[in-house]
Amino acid sequence: EAGVTQFPSHSVIEKGQTVTLRCDPISGHDNLYWYRRVMGKEIKFLLHFVKESKQDESGMPNNRFLAERTGGTYSTLKVQPAELEDSGVYFCASSHYYPEAFFGQGTRLTVV
Amino acid sequence: GIQVEQSPPDLILQEGANSTLRCNFSDSVNNLQWFHQNPWGQLINLFYIPSGTKQNGRLSATTVATERYSLLYISSSQTTDSGVYFCAVGGGLRSGGYQKVTFGTGTKLQVLP
């Protein structure tokens, strides 16, 4: 069984540009989460999808961030326009009925 | 929400030494996981351990759910163990039934050759 897959593994963009991160959850997992760790701080929750619906987006920092989950399958997280403080590692996780969340290996975003 | 504290915040070891990392949490949980974030930023799942004890090679973990803490043991440490260790908990009574996890503050480990 494939795990949670994130693309790209690393992205370097200039301030003001747009970047789209993708997450493919484990097949059949209804729950999908985005987290991020910026500037060496704690890993913070961004949002939670149940299938294609946003269940909780209380962690989204501002309206430059847009998350979607097409048909309840893969998810994208778009940052537009990117700022320097957005640099960090973005993680995606998925889960099914069980409490355990399965994490991808992350996308390292560098904004220069 | 659930509060998660880890100690120590920083740890420097000589290769071959043993260490114990601690995670305290403020509420009942049905999910506790330990992760290792390596120097390249990748998050590696170590243990899913809401209660009891598990071992995987040089690593082992124990969670005492009734006392709201978990311990991660690293024996015979190697330089490749360097990075940040996070515990993450979820499913507490006040979580609204979500399965999202809350991460601890992390322990930054450096193993010297």
Side-chain angles (χ1 to χ4, degrees):
Chain A
E1 178 183 273
V4 177
T5 309
Q6 293 187 241
F7 305 95
S9 57
H10 190 192
S11 178
V12 181
I13 61 171
E14 293 184 351
K15 176 183 173 182
Q17 289 186 324
T18 297
V19 63
T20 300
L21 314 181
R22 172 168 170 150
C23 170
D24 286 60
I26 293 173
S27 177
H29 281 192
D30 290 338
N31 295 288
L32 187 149
Y33 314 84
W34 283 97
Y35 293 79
R36 72 171 184 174
R37 185 179 188 217
V38 296
M39 300 177 67
K41 295 183 178 177
E42 298 171 30
I43 300 177
K44 293 291 191 181
F45 167 79
L46 295 178
L47 87 160
H48 170 207
F49 284 100
V50 177
K51 297 184 180 179
E52 67 276 7
S53 300
K54 292 177 184 176
Q55 185 73 29
D56 180 354
E57 51 184 332
S58 60
M60 294 289 266
N62 52 59
N63 59 10
R64 295 186 295 104
F65 289 76
L66 175 63
E68 295 178 322
R69 189 177 183 191
T70 306
T73 55
Y74 70 91
S75 175
T76 57
L77 180 64
K78 179 188 290 187
V79 185
Q80 179 182 30
E83 299 290 345
L84 298 178
E85 63 264 26
D86 300 330
S87 296
V89 186
Y90 290 75
F91 298 104
C92 173
S94 71
S95 70
H96 195 40
Y97 294 123
Y98 308 104
E100 182 179 7
F102 297 85
F103 279 76
Q105 294 205 321
T107 293
R108 178 182 287 276
L109 174 63
T110 303
V111 183
V112 297
Chain B
I2 298 173
Q3 304 299 312
V4 186
E5 296 287 336
Q6 292 184 240
S7 59
D10 296 278
L11 185 59
I12 300 176
L13 298 176
Q14 207 65 41
E15 196 167 31
N18 303 327
S19 62
T20 301
L21 282 57
R22 186 176 179 105
C23 172
N24 292 328
F25 44 95
S26 62
D27 203 349
S28 301
V29 298
N30 61 15
N31 178 13
L32 188 144
Q33 297 177 245
W34 282 97
F35 297 92
H36 173 215
Q37 188 179 24
N38 64 24
W40 296 270
Q42 297 173 320
L43 198 64
I44 309 300
N45 182 48
L46 298 177
F47 294 104
Y48 166 67
I49 186 168
S51 64
T53 297
K54 288 187 178 180
Q55 181 159 4
N56 184 3
R58 295 182 297 103
L59 303 180
S60 63
T62 295
T63 297
V64 183
T66 53
E67 297 187 23
R68 300 180 183 172
Y69 73 89
S70 183
L71 302 174
L72 177 69
Y73 305 96
I74 305 175
S75 65
S76 303
S77 59
Q78 301 176 358
T79 56
T80 51
D81 295 332
S82 297
V84 184
Y85 289 80
F86 291 99
C87 71
V89 304
L93 294 177
R94 301 188 189 90
S95 72
Y98 297 160
Q99 294 169 25
K100 73 176 183 180
V101 295
T102 299
F103 281 82
T105 48
T107 292
K108 185 175 181 181
L109 173 65
Q110 185 177 1
V111 181
L112 304 176

